[in-house]
Amino acid sequence: MSLTTARLRFRPFVGADHAWLHPIASDPVVTRYTDWGPNSDDDTAAFLGEATAEGAAPSPWTWAVTLADGTGIGSASLDVVSATHRRARVGYLVGPSHQGVGYGTEVATWLVARAFEEHGIRRVEATCHPDNTASARVLAKAGLLLEGRMRGHLLARGVWRDSLLWAALDTDPRAAGH
Ligand SMILES: CC(C)(COP(=O)(O)OP(=O)(O)OC[C@H]1O[C@@H](n2cnc3c(N)ncnc32)[C@H](O)[C@@H]1OP(=O)(O)O)[C@@H](O)C(=O)NCCC(=O)NCCS
């Protein structure tokens, strides 16, 4: 399956990505609904160290997301939670200067297609903060259905919070364009 979509490219992270990734990952507005961040310089370096480690485990896969001209705009991840049950989890991030033009939806749609077509996944899951309306829209447009609200799901920055659970099965009707 191609590592490109109409407007985006997916590739492994490299150490030099710190220059564009850190301003995004250290922005408290970007991370207000995530259970990580805002990143210190060391946090971003540690993330990139794991993502670029030699002999790293095959899953989770993490990709840098760029425009066709190589500009870094975000990240995408696919984690096979259970090979036995063919279940995976996806996540994504789009930097503020590139939000609102459909890239998030393009990333999520690609992740779901990749999970089904490349990894034989049966069920793709994602979670989001109940107030993260942009992410909820992305997930709905990528073909995931809202299955419920998980109470006390995460301890984020010292506060317990709920998460919404979204999922798509490989037998569900696919999102438009896939
Ligand atoms: C969630 C995120 C990926 C969305 O990326 P994006 O590229 O802006 O997404 P899209 O352009 O595909 O827009 C998706 C929808 O969200 C809506 N949206 C965008 N920003 C919004 C906001 N601040 N409030 C409400 N809706 C918003 C868009 O209008 C669009 O909906 P529409 O099609 O009904 O108009 C991006 O905001 C992000 O990375 N946020 C920080 C990290 C994060 O929350 N990741 C997800 C963790 S679950």
Side-chain angles (χ1 to χ4, degrees), residues 112-144:
V112 171
R114 185 161 182 96
F116 291 149
E117 292 166 20
E118 194 80 14
H119 300 289
I121 292 298
R122 158 80 170 148
R123 175 181 163 87
V124 175
E125 296 179 346
T127 59
C128 70
H129 189 293
D131 297 336
N132 194 349
T133 45
S135 191
R137 280 293 297 151
V138 164
L139 293 169
K141 291 201 292 182
L144 285 81

Side-chain angles (χ1 to χ4, degrees), residues 25-46:
S26 61
D27 182 340
V29 175
V30 169
T31 62
R32 67 194 184 284
Y33 298 128
T34 62
D35 61 348
W36 54 270
N39 275 10
S40 66
D41 207 73
D42 285 350
D43 293 334
T44 301

